Amino acid sequence: MPQGLQVWDASGNLVGDVTDYYGRVTNVVDIPASTSSSVTISVPASGTQSQMLLPTSGTFTPGDVTDAPSISIVGTTLSYSNASAKGFKLIMGVW
């Protein structure tokens, strides 16, 4: 007998199945305004990595990346330089 997980909404539509991809958050990094630093992050052995950068202070216009910090990852070290007066939160995950 097959086993698995399926989820339906109130209208009876299938909204989740074990064959779907589900992500998980692997790291959350606060990037304060006007700072540069490095942090150690966990790097999953498999999966497709993704990132989301969210402003946490100041005003933000969707699509405007002129104030976004410079971010680099080498191995398990994430380095950032934020010259902006805005703070950010970097959310990293894997699918």
Side-chain angles (χ1 to χ4, degrees):
M1 175 181 209
Q3 296 180 3
L5 173 68
Q6 293 182 316
V7 180
W8 288 266
D9 65 14
S11 299
N13 299 309
L14 182 64
V15 295
D17 198 330
V18 291
T19 60
D20 292 339
Y21 287 101
Y22 292 96
R24 64 183 171 93
V25 172
T26 56
N27 300 280
V28 177
V29 179
D30 287 310
I31 302 175
S34 306
T35 60
S36 295
S37 190
S38 296
V39 295
T40 300
I41 59 171
S42 63
V43 179
S46 63
T48 301
Q49 294 188 24
S50 62
Q51 298 83 29
M52 181 185 327
L53 186 64
L54 303 172
T56 58
S57 64
T59 58
F60 180 76
T61 303
D64 180 10
V65 295
T66 56
D67 288 338
S70 172
I71 299 170
S72 66
I73 301 172
V74 177
T76 60
T77 301
L78 180 141
S79 300
Y80 63 83
S81 178
N82 185 12
S84 170
K86 300 175 185 176
F88 294 90
K89 185 175 294 277
L90 177 64
I91 302 172
M92 304 174 70
V94 65
W95 298 95

